[in-house]
Amino acid sequence: MTVETQDRVRQVVREQYGNVAKGTTQSCAPGCCAVAPSASLALGYSEADLAAVPEGSNLGLGCGNPQTLASLRAGETVLDLGSGAGFDCFLAANQVGATGKVIGVDMTAEMVSKARENAARLEQRNVEFRLGEIEHLPLEDRSVDVILSNCVINLSPDKPAVFREAFRVLRSGGRLAISDVVRLGELPEALAQDVSALTGCVAGAASVQDLERFLTEVGFEGVRVEVNQASKEFIRDWMPGSGVEEFVASASIQATKPGEAKCCEPSCCGGTKA
């Protein structure tokens, strides 16, 4: 895919999600539906989760619950790729506490503005939102402990770049906790070329094998991509009658950036035996 084509894909996605942020679109895929916030209950979020975030932050755009994968701890720094209106950021902020920090990155200006408004209303001090592309993260090297993402990376026209950037900004031992859509088989041509299927988290999905390869080639270890077969129940409603649930599914994606080698073995120490 050329740079120009990648930019066109980003522009289409940006326009779609800008409309979602403004509430000016109606359709039936996760990126363009007027989905009720309660739909998140089917993805693994609890009633307490939904009650803990400011109104308007949960747009029902996810396909899983990365919070359950992350095992967040107090004091950690968390990055959310494609943070939308801030739903997962606000939940993460409650888990890492006042000594931790959460940074949301989104390439859609309308989403970033909406998330910042939500943070201001909640007076959440340990959350910030930055405008940027997930293939070119506006963060320093080795500056975060955990990366979350919920149904966003499938929209990227350059997924290897996303994982290279994730590896760069993670500290040693840092981890990925991602919910996203994966491709189970070749899409029919009509779906593959459908712009609404692209912006709706279908046509851009990578296969499990490709995701595992992207992550491994970058240097991640402990790579796990687990398909949620039960996700067919809600994915079939994204594009009713299209049979899309036979070609894509939600998955949990986890991986770890290797820790720094400890100089405690003869093979890595520069010392000599007494």
Side-chain angles (χ1 to χ4, degrees):
M1 189 180 293
T2 66
V3 172
E4 290 77 14
T5 302
Q6 291 180 6
D7 284 342
R8 284 198 294 273
V9 170
R10 291 191 188 94
Q11 185 58 33
V12 169
V13 172
R14 188 181 288 115
E15 289 176 359
Q16 179 63 41
Y17 284 81
N19 289 332
V20 172
K22 292 183 287 188
T24 58
T25 188
Q26 297 284 328
S27 184
C28 293
C32 41
C33 269
V35 177
S38 59
S40 297
L41 296 174
L43 303 179
Y45 294 96
S46 67
E47 293 279 5
D49 290 335
L50 272 56
V53 298
E55 184 177 355
S57 64
N58 178 15
L59 301 178
L61 302 179
C63 58
N65 182 359
Q67 308 278 336
T68 61
L69 308 173
S71 300
L72 297 177
R73 299 185 286 268
E76 289 189 315
T77 299
V78 180
L79 168 65
D80 183 11
L81 303 179
S83 47
F87 179 47
D88 277 303
C89 287
F90 295 122
L91 293 176
N94 291 336
Q95 295 187 67
V96 300
T99 59
K101 182 177 182 179
V102 181
I103 302 166
V105 172
D106 202 291
M107 70 172 183
T108 304
E110 291 87 349
M111 280 293 186
V112 173
S113 295
K114 191 177 184 71
R116 288 172 177 166
E117 290 170 5
N118 290 332
R121 283 194 285 115
L122 195 63
E123 297 185 350
Q124 192 96 39
R125 307 297 184 192
N126 60 342
V127 179
E128 68 170 284
F129 296 95
R130 301 180 184 180
L131 183 64
E133 297 173 352
I134 59 176
E135 303 91 345
H136 309 93
L137 289 170
L139 279 89
E140 297 179 355
D141 296 355
R142 299 180 295 278
S143 56
V144 303
D145 301 297
V146 185
I147 293 180
L148 307 177
S149 189
N150 197 346
C151 219
V152 171
I153 297 174
N154 74 85
L155 297 166
S156 170
D158 189 355
K159 295 170 184 59
V162 174
F163 294 124
R164 285 196 297 271
E165 279 292 89
F167 194 87
R168 177 182 67 80
V169 303
L170 275 174
R171 297 187 175 111
S172 297
R175 56 200 190 274
L176 298 181
I178 296 169
S179 296
D180 210 340
V181 174
V182 297
R183 178 167 48 80
L184 303 178
E186 291 302 317
L187 289 171
E189 190 65 14
L191 272 179
Q193 300 302 321
D194 187 335
V195 173
S196 66
L198 171 66
T199 59
C201 300
V202 172
S207 68
V208 171
Q209 294 75 19
D210 282 346
L211 287 172
E212 290 174 337
R213 177 169 55 84
F214 296 154
L215 289 161
T216 302
E217 287 180 349
V218 167
F220 282 104
E221 60 184 18
V223 175
R224 297 173 60 190
V225 182
E226 298 181 352
V227 175
N228 176 13
Q229 298 293 348
S231 62
K232 288 185 177 182
E233 294 301 315
F234 61 82
I235 286 180
R236 67 163 49 96
D237 294 332
W238 290 0
M239 303 182 76
S242 68
V244 64
E245 68 276 11
E246 301 300 325
F247 303 102
V248 298
S250 174
S252 299
I253 303 166
Q254 295 175 274
T256 303
K257 181 174 180 177
E260 295 179 358
K262 296 180 180 178
C263 187
C264 57
E265 299 291 341
S267 60
C268 56
C269 281
T272 57
K273 292 183 179 179

